């Protein structure tokens, strides 16, 4: 049987092989070896004796099994089948257009968006993104059609796109699902789609913008059935974990998490809330949007069209007698003022800011109009964080990074020895990590706990440089120092840490 289906890496799904066959035998074709053999991922309970002869006939070559976990086998199977279906859908779309069954210039756009090939492509795109663990789907209008990409572990990766002739149909399909105006292509629109994938409920935040070559769409995937991780699972060093645990269990004051968009700030806030006793305390959150449903916690979504802003919602929920308030973001003077007042009146307030490091939260809040004396009285600690990709264990290899980069990162650590004895490693790229060399992400952290010396400096308006010196004396280590420790442990690479922690 010839191998003639869509490729994943360097392998294709052979004719005659089905998802059911692979799941039953607990194995999946992965890639071609250098000698032309077929490497397959096999679970511990794989039925190799039955399957290997079938695979050798299907691919006309010898088969080399590689032992992986059962979960990895299922994930690889779903990805291989999804890519095969993507290609089939694209072929069908192209065939429909070539036969003249639909004409984008004359057909009603609503009918076109409901054509089976269009529906199938959109469904497979969302399914593939979910299976890959993508956070976003990007469909970007170009002069040659739609460019489709998935954001995996913070980095965009290509995925199969529809034929150029039906680019408008795919965009219109997504706008229909999000209940947007499909006839309006001149202004940005925002909407939501809720889908169910097997037992999981998925929310898709949809954003469209007009561009030079048509509309571009970004879909943010929010897994409503997922669970927030605990503080201990975020990858915090021991001292930072202990400090953050103490801050999260305080009775009053303000604790902030800072970092750029997409750095996991909300996830950390959710983790901090899990340190509280929901049975004995009233905990409320104001979020845009609500990313996880937390049992025992009252969650309020922001709805600007209805007048429910962060500041307005916060004023209202303070009349709900809360013990702990989580505010999704402090982005304007009004919100910052109400948050500080809440912290002053006996509530613990957890929130986020967009700053480069922990100390920069102080001048940022002062810029938002918070008086220094009030900030000094309420601020308890600031956690700055970034996310770095984790080296793929399936294709890990040793290598020697750029010496200048090693020296730059090593200088941020508190290692006293001049003898660098580190076995640096990186991922070579394989089917398990989609040829990226990385699988998953972990946090880099910097915690500044507000001490009496730090409070005095805030009150007298000390410059940022002095605040950094005080924080360093009190034990604050920069983000890059945590990055160095994770490089030494083989968790990530020098280049990855410098990519996200340099500023």
């Amino acid at each position: 049987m010839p191998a003639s289906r869509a490729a994943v890496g360097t392998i294709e799904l052979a004719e005659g092989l089905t998802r059911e066959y692979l799941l039953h035998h607990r194995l999946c074709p992965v890639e071609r070896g250098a000698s032309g053999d077929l490497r397959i991922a096999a679970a511990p309970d794989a039925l190799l004796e039955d399957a290997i002869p079938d695979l050798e006939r299907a691919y006309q070559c010898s088969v080399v099994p590689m032992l992986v976990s059962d979960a990895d086998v299922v994930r690889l199977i779903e990805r291989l089948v999804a890519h095969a279906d993507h290609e089939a859908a694209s072929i069908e779309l192209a065939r429909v257009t070539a036969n003249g069954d639909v004409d984008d210039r004359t057909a009603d756009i609503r009918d076109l968006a409901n054509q089976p090939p269009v529906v199938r492509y959109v469904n497979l795109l969302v399914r593939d993104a979910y299976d890959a663990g993508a956070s976003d789907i990007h469909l970007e209008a170009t002069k040659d059609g739609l460019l489709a990409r998935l954001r995996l572990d913070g980095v965009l990766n290509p995925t199969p796109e529809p034929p150029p002739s039906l680019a408008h149909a795919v965009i219109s399909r997504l706008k229909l699902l999000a209940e947007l105006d499909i006839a309006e292509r001149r202004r940005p629109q925002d909407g939501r789609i809720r889908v169910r994938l097997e037992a999981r409920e998925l929310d898709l935040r949809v954003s469209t913008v007009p561009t030079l070559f048509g509309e571009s769409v970004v879909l943010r995937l929010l897994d409503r059935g997922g669970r927030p991780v605990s503080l201990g699972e975020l990858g915090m060093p021991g001292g930072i974990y202990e400090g953050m645990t103490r801050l999260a269990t305080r009775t009053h004051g303000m604790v902030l998490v800072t970092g750029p968009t997409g750095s996991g700030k909300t996830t950390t806030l959710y983790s901090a809330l899990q340190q509280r006793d929901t049975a004995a305390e009233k905990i409320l959150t104001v979020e845009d949007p609500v990313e996880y449903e937390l049992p025992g916690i009252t969650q309020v979504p922001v709805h600007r069209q209805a007048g429910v802003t962060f500041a307005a919602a916060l004023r209202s929920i303070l009349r709900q007698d809360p013990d702990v308030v989580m505010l999704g973001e402090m982005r304007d003077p009004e919100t910052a003022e109400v948050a500080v007042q809440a912290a002053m009146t006996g509530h613990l307030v957890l929130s986020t800011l967009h700053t480069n490091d922990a100390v920069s939260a102080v001048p940022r809040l002062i810029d938002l109009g918070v008086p220094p004396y009030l900030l000094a009285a309420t601020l308890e600690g600031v956690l700055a964080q970034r996310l770095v990709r984790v080296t793929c264990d399936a294709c890990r290899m040793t290598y020697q990074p750029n010496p200048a980069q090693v020296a730059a990162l090593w200088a941020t650590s508190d290692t006293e020895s001049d003898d660098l004895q580190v076995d640096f490693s990186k991922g070579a790229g394989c089917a398990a990590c989609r040829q990226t060399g990385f699988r998953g992400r972990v946090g880099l952290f910097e915690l500044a706990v507000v001490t009496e010396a730090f409070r005095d400096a805030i009150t007298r308006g000390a410059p940022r440089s002095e605040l950094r010196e005080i924080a360093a004396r009190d034990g604050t280590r920069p983000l890059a120092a945590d990055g160095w420790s994770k490089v030494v442990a083989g968790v990530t690479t020098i280049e990855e840490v410098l990519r996200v922690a340099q500023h």
Side-chain angles (χ1 to χ4, degrees):
M1 289 179 286
S4 61
R5 300 291 297 276
V8 175
T10 57
I11 195 62
E12 300 173 337
L13 183 63
E15 291 290 347
L17 288 183
T18 64
R19 175 178 181 271
E20 290 70 25
Y21 177 93
L22 297 176
L23 287 172
H24 174 74
H25 289 84
R26 316 306 294 168
L27 49 81
C28 180
V30 173
E31 60 189 1
R32 292 277 187 180
S35 59
D37 53 9
L38 175 69
R39 297 179 181 176
I40 65 171
D45 59 347
L47 304 177
L48 292 175
E49 187 175 341
D50 294 339
I52 285 180
D54 294 340
L55 294 174
E56 287 178 340
R57 286 194 297 271
Y59 288 93
Q60 298 293 305
C61 64
S62 59
V63 173
V64 179
M66 301 182 297
L67 184 64
V68 300
S69 70
D70 190 71
D72 279 343
V73 166
V74 173
R75 187 174 56 81
L76 289 168
I77 291 171
E78 296 297 347
R79 185 192 304 167
L80 183 64
V81 173
H83 275 261
D85 286 345
H86 266 312
E87 184 172 278
S90 293
I91 291 172
E92 187 177 351
L93 285 168
R95 184 185 300 118
V96 167
T97 305
N99 291 341
D101 294 337
V102 292
D103 184 342
D104 190 38
R105 292 168 298 181
T106 59
D108 181 82
I109 191 66
R110 189 179 298 271
D111 291 340
L112 187 62
N114 288 318
Q115 286 286 329
V118 178
V119 174
R120 190 177 184 208
Y121 174 82
V122 170
N123 291 346
L124 290 171
L125 180 66
V126 173
R127 179 56 189 257
D128 191 30
Y130 174 77
D131 289 342
S135 60
D136 302 87
I137 301 170
H138 288 245
L139 293 170
E140 301 165 37
T142 70
K143 64 180 179 180
D144 298 318
L146 280 182
L147 173 64
R149 296 189 289 177
L150 305 180
R151 188 173 293 281
L152 302 174
D153 298 329
V155 177
L156 290 173
N157 291 268
T159 196
E161 60 256 351
S165 55
L166 288 186
H168 286 314
V170 171
I171 298 297
S172 296
R173 174 67 184 171
L174 292 169
K175 292 171 71 174
L176 280 174
L177 293 174
E179 299 182 349
L180 302 179
D181 183 358
I182 62 173
E184 178 57 75
R185 300 182 183 179
R186 297 168 300 175
R187 63 179 177 86
Q189 297 186 69
D190 295 296
R192 291 191 180 180
I193 304 171
R194 180 169 293 185
V195 298
R196 182 173 292 278
L197 293 176
E198 297 169 354
R200 310 296 287 230
E201 196 173 80
L202 202 63
D203 264 358
L204 307 179
R205 278 196 298 169
V206 182
S207 172
T208 73
V209 294
T211 69
L212 182 63
F213 298 106
E215 288 182 289
S216 289
V217 178
V218 175
L219 296 90
R220 166 66 56 88
L221 280 69
L222 301 173
D223 184 4
R224 296 177 64 87
R227 68 168 187 89
V229 297
S230 67
L231 276 178
E233 297 176 278
L234 296 177
M236 293 180 179
I240 292 180
Y241 169 73
E242 293 165 4
M244 194 62 191
T245 300
R246 287 193 296 271
L247 290 172
T249 53
R250 292 188 64 86
T251 57
H252 62 275
M254 187 163 59
V255 178
L256 301 176
V257 180
T258 75
T261 300
S263 59
K265 300 186 296 296
T266 303
T267 298
T268 300
L269 289 182
Y270 282 145
S271 302
L273 289 180
Q274 293 183 80
Q275 304 293 312
R276 312 296 303 198
D277 183 0
T278 57
E281 296 179 310
K282 176 81 168 184
I283 303 175
L284 294 109
T285 74
V286 183
E287 305 172 61
D288 183 23
V290 174
E291 296 190 17
Y292 293 110
E293 295 177 3
L294 303 175
I297 295 176
T298 302
Q299 296 172 269
V300 179
V302 167
H303 195 297
R304 291 180 180 82
Q305 290 86 347
V308 184
T309 62
F310 277 112
L314 182 55
R315 291 184 192 277
S316 297
I317 66 175
L318 288 177
R319 295 191 287 271
Q320 295 278 312
D321 187 31
D323 297 291
V324 180
V325 174
M326 188 196 100
L327 192 61
E329 184 181 348
M330 279 196 283
R331 61 177 65 171
D332 56 66
E334 184 184 6
T335 306
E337 177 191 357
V338 180
V340 169
Q341 291 296 333
M344 281 287 292
T345 53
H347 306 89
L348 178 67
V349 177
L350 306 174
S351 190
T352 71
L353 275 178
H354 292 286
T355 63
N356 285 331
D357 57 19
V359 169
S360 296
V362 172
R364 172 65 179 145
L365 286 170
I366 293 174
D367 288 344
L368 287 175
V370 178
Y373 71 94
L374 280 182
L375 183 58
T378 55
L379 188 62
E380 299 295 334
V382 184
L383 180 77
Q385 67 180 61
R386 300 288 190 279
L387 292 177
V388 293
R389 293 179 291 173
V390 175
T391 301
C392 175
D393 283 329
C395 59
R396 182 185 295 273
M397 57 176 282
T398 59
Y399 83 116
Q400 186 55 49
N402 184 311
Q405 292 181 321
V406 174
L409 192 59
W410 178 67
T412 67
S413 72
D414 47 15
T415 305
E416 296 181 358
S417 172
D418 292 332
D419 187 18
L420 270 177
Q421 297 293 330
V422 179
D423 292 326
F424 297 103
S425 63
K426 68 175 183 179
C430 64
C433 62
R434 291 184 173 233
Q435 309 301 325
T436 64
F438 299 97
R439 288 183 68 185
R441 288 190 289 179
V442 71
L444 303 183
F445 300 96
E446 169 188 320
L447 179 63
V449 177
V450 179
T451 61
E452 287 306 314
F454 201 93
R455 291 189 200 282
D456 291 342
I458 295 174
T459 303
R460 57 184 169 80
R464 191 175 319 198
S465 58
E466 184 180 344
L467 293 174
R468 284 202 180 97
E469 290 175 4
I470 294 172
R473 287 200 302 267
D474 291 337
T476 299
R477 299 168 67 239
L479 286 164
D482 187 25
W484 173 257
S485 66
K486 287 181 168 65
V487 168
V488 171
V491 174
T492 189
T493 66
I494 292 275
E495 295 83 0
E496 182 68 7
V497 171
L498 293 177
R499 180 179 71 86
V500 303
Q502 272 188 330
H503 57 265

